[in-house]
Amino acid sequence: MTRQKRVLVCGAGGFIGTHLVARLKSEGCHVLGVDLKYPEFSESQADAFEIGDLRSPSVCERVVSDDVDEIYQLAADMGGAGFVFTGDNDAQIMHNSALINLNMLEAARLKRCPKIFYASSACIYPEHNQTDPENPRCEEDSAYPAAPDSEYGWEKLFSERLYLSYARNYDMGVAIGRYHNVFGPLGTWRGGREKAPAALCRKVCETQTGEIEVWGDGRQTRSFLYVDECVEGTLKLMRSGHGAPLNIGSDEMISINDLAKLIIEISGKTVAIRNVPGPEGVRGRNSDNQRISQTLGWAPTQPLRKGLSETYGWIEEQVNMPGAVPHSAA
Ligand code: NAD
């Protein structure tokens, strides 16, 4: 009989972690999840779930078992534009996430874990390559010379280098995915840490005035990756021999106003858009999928509309749930 693969998912109470745990379970792995909190919107499917603070070295050492085969390190202090780009949370973001990565990687080394995945971000790419909303540059090699637009991005870049150093000096197996705007059901949809697709779905669901506010002039561009494809790309990268950072994102670029229009269309409602000043990040960003296609023979292809329909349906259910508090009153 083949031995059941033993996997640790850090950040298993978060959005992508919840989906990753479910996928690993469906493949027959034994999964231990760890997080500061349980998943907010569903039961975790992990075999075991530890509530623990990964900023503590002793917690990291405790959750990494001697026989662990793979670690997925997704835990981070993060949020949407409203959390990352105001500057108010910079020290917290850098301190907390750097500690998690330093401690988890060291615990993985001490326990001789064969392979660890690190969830990096498109936020590591230089701001000056993302000023033209029609032609952002995000191919992997454009990360240097570095100039991310947020401290969140700088911490991710530092941690990428930390993982690469461990791979180089300690012969550890490391995989690094640069996620680009992941969305889908079971993601944060209110409270200030939600991303644009979830925030816009909620606004369209909740509007009483037939109007929604969209931050910025609405011409800033992004691409959005459905969470199932994010998990697929993560596993494909982890199981490849590729050690350098790789984009895991959609290359279907859309302006934020067009995203709002698509969501309005999906809702079947008549809703007007009002652009208002607000944190918006870089002017343009899109995943460059040339390298992932070449190295993994795979890239995300699901149309944005499909994932948005799933997500809108799920957020509509949340909004209409008995006892749900309208965002304006929350
Ligand atoms: P999330 O916030 O839902 O999940 C992160 C989890 O980490 C949370 O459940 C949080 O409680 C946990 N965590 C934070 N501090 C911790 C600590 N000290 N100890 C233990 N757990 C702690 O975020 P997500 O969207 O699931 O993202 C997962 C990873 O992917 C993160 O590292 C994030 O930076 C990265 N990423 C996500 C996106 C995206 O669009 N969602 C884009 C780029 C990168």
Side-chain angles (χ1 to χ4, degrees):
M1 213 175 82
T2 51
R3 180 179 158 278
Q4 193 181 24
K5 195 188 267 184
R6 299 191 77 84
V7 180
L8 171 66
V9 177
C10 307
F15 165 49
I16 302 171
T18 302
H19 287 271
L20 178 62
V21 166
R23 171 71 188 268
L24 289 164
K25 277 309 301 166
S26 77
E27 295 187 353
C29 300
H30 178 280
V31 183
L32 168 63
V34 58
D35 202 300
L36 289 171
K37 60 174 181 68
Y38 292 108
E40 209 177 331
F41 307 109
S42 69
E43 286 277 315
S44 175
Q45 292 182 37
D47 296 278
F49 198 105
E50 281 227 24
I51 295 295
D53 188 338
L54 296 170
R55 290 172 300 182
S56 151
S58 59
V59 171
C60 291
E61 280 188 46
R62 196 179 70 230
V63 295
V64 182
S65 62
D66 292 326
D67 60 353
V68 70
D69 297 298
E70 292 179 346
I71 300 174
Y72 293 84
Q73 200 319 74
L74 275 65
D77 200 351
M78 62 166 301
F83 185 76
V84 171
F85 296 115
T86 57
D88 296 341
N89 308 298
D90 286 350
Q92 184 191 330
I93 288 170
M94 295 196 90
H95 175 87
N96 291 344
S97 296
L99 277 184
I100 294 170
N101 287 309
L102 286 162
N103 293 330
M104 182 44 66
L105 199 46
E106 182 61 7
R109 179 181 78 84
L110 292 172
K111 299 285 179 76
R112 301 183 190 284
C113 172
K115 193 142 190 190
I116 184 163
F117 173 87
Y118 173 55
S120 183
S121 166
C123 290
I124 62 100
Y125 286 113
E127 187 169 11
H128 56 251
N129 284 340
Q130 301 171 80
T131 49
D132 176 358
E134 299 307 320
N135 293 297
R137 244 191 95 197
C138 290
E139 79 263 17
E140 282 81 352
D141 290 343
S142 69
Y144 295 98
D149 72 329
S150 65
E151 303 304 349
Y152 169 78
W154 277 106
E155 188 284 326
K156 288 286 186 196
L157 204 54
F158 161 77
S159 289
E160 281 192 1
R161 299 187 70 93
L162 184 69
Y163 282 79
L164 292 170
S165 305
Y166 268 63
R168 194 160 54 242
N169 294 164
Y170 300 129
D171 201 23
M172 280 178 69
V174 158
I176 301 171
R178 290 178 180 159
Y179 291 162
H180 290 240
N181 287 316
V182 185
F183 76 102
L186 310 182
T188 303
W189 57 280
R190 65 175 174 190
R193 287 190 177 213
E194 66 279 19
K195 304 281 180 53
L200 292 172
C201 285
R202 185 200 71 236
K203 287 179 185 182
V204 171
C205 278
E206 287 186 343
T207 181
Q208 306 282 335
T209 59
E211 187 180 82
I212 59 164
E213 287 185 351
V214 175
W215 287 346
D217 65 8
R219 290 203 294 268
Q220 67 272 33
T221 54
R222 291 291 184 279
S223 69
F224 300 95
L225 180 68
Y226 192 60
V227 65
D228 288 354
E229 292 199 296
C230 171
V231 169
E232 180 71 24
T234 300
L235 296 182
K236 282 201 151 62
L237 174 54
M238 187 66 163
R239 289 161 188 175
S240 75
H242 192 75
L246 212 53
N247 287 331
I248 300 184
S250 160
D251 59 3
E252 185 182 342
M253 193 169 80
I254 186 168
S255 75
I256 297 300
N257 272 1
D258 283 347
L259 175 72
K261 285 179 199 157
L262 192 51
I263 292 169
I264 293 165
E265 204 182 302
I266 288 167
S267 76
K269 291 177 150 186
T270 306
V271 178
I273 292 169
R274 187 157 58 92
N275 290 107
V276 296
E280 55 174 282
V282 293
R283 284 302 289 163
R285 177 171 291 154
N286 193 16
S287 184
D288 184 315
N289 286 351
Q290 233 177 308
R291 187 161 297 170
I292 193 172
S293 305
Q294 283 163 2
T295 48
L296 304 186
W298 175 90
T301 50
Q302 178 173 298
L304 174 62
R305 172 186 279 275
K306 187 162 185 297
L308 273 182
S309 299
E310 303 280 343
T311 309
Y312 185 84
W314 180 77
I315 290 179
E316 197 175 31
E317 274 173 33
Q318 307 304 304
V319 168
N320 295 329
M321 198 108 73
V325 186
H327 183 65
S328 50

